[in-house]
Amino acid sequence: MMTSSSETIDASAAGTWTLGDLTVNRIGFGAMRLTQPGPAFSKGPSGDRGRSMTVLRRAIELGVNHIDTAAFYFSPLRSANELINSALAPYADDLVITTKVGPGRDPSGVWTWATPAQLRGQVEENLRQLGRDHLDVVNLRIARSHRAESVADHIGALAELREAGLIRHLGISNTTADQLAEARSIAPVVCVQNRYGIGSTPEDQALLRSCGEQGIAFVPFYAIAGAGGEAGTGGGEGEGEGDEVLAVARNHGVTPAQVRLAWTLHQGPHVLAIPGTGNPDHLAENIAAEAVRLTPDELALLGP
């Protein structure tokens, strides 16, 4: 059972990992859900700017020092990068901001995918929006339809920007073991950011374990949302949840979202959680998930 209130648990309690030479707490924050209250990337209303900035500042107060974002996280009136810049600049020395390149969206929301030559423009756009002279970590996001293709040209272009000082460390997202190996043959890779959570496939689990063996951080996205993806969980109150997650949540007196996060952190010391929310209460609950101690029987019930 949890013995501390969600308001008193600090993100540092979950332990730390290193992204290259940057040390981060294992519970971080994902910025995708800051820009609108409904499903991400929808045509729904934009979020409240003041509330989103409050969430960001509260995350820092609760010990978060790793924020995941992207220039394509925006709604008609809100940009996640702009919110981060406005709420948190000047940035704390220990704050690590990770962003993604590869996908892009035009103002109407239409998706595009960058060629290697266009990646510099995406990096510079993130720099401008965040008000930085370099990016701590940049993940190359791979399209689902391109997971059997070479990433050499794209990683090579980002490696050149790393040599130029615009990027400190590189990561790769939505990738395969073969693409990771190819990327590492070109430049150091400090993290893999893939979809992962309860119910993931044996292939996903093998890649997570392989990252640990290679000293690479594994950063799951949609660890809470699961099949909900961009639509999220609808508040995380258990609607649509499996019986196993609900049973464990009842055992501990916590929410299903907290069970999913606790399970994520149990997958290895190299696994970093980046739950996102635009709700200050959910933020505190997410960070408090570190205090949920799952038993071996519960871990077996929830899956490998």
Side-chain angles (χ1 to χ4, degrees), residues 158-189:
L158 292 176
E160 291 178 3
L161 297 178
R162 177 175 174 267
E163 290 297 320
L166 298 183
I167 299 171
R168 193 160 180 174
H169 297 294
L170 297 179
I172 189 166
S173 177
N174 207 34
T175 192
T176 65
D178 288 343
Q179 288 175 329
L180 174 60
E182 182 182 40
R184 293 187 75 216
S185 73
I186 297 168
V189 174

Side-chain angles (χ1 to χ4, degrees), residues 26-31 66-68 73 100 193 219-224 261 264 272-277:
R26 290 182 60 217
I27 293 186
F29 179 80
H66 175 213
I67 294 178
D68 176 80
Y73 289 172
K100 291 171 287 295
Q193 188 183 101
V219 190
F221 61 86
Y222 298 155
I224 293 178
L261 281 174
T264 297
L272 309 181
I274 49 168
T277 182

Side-chain angles (χ1 to χ4, degrees), residues 82-118:
E82 186 276 329
L83 289 166
I84 291 167
N85 189 348
S86 296
L88 303 181
Y91 300 109
D93 291 342
D94 68 340
L95 178 62
V96 174
I97 300 177
T98 298
T99 191
K100 291 171 287 295
V101 296
R105 295 167 68 212
D106 69 18
S108 68
V110 174
W111 289 94
T112 59
W113 290 87
T115 66
Q118 293 171 327

Side-chain angles (χ1 to χ4, degrees), residues 210-225:
S210 176
C211 285
E213 292 164 0
Q214 298 174 77
I216 298 170
F218 189 91
V219 190
F221 61 86
Y222 298 155
I224 293 178

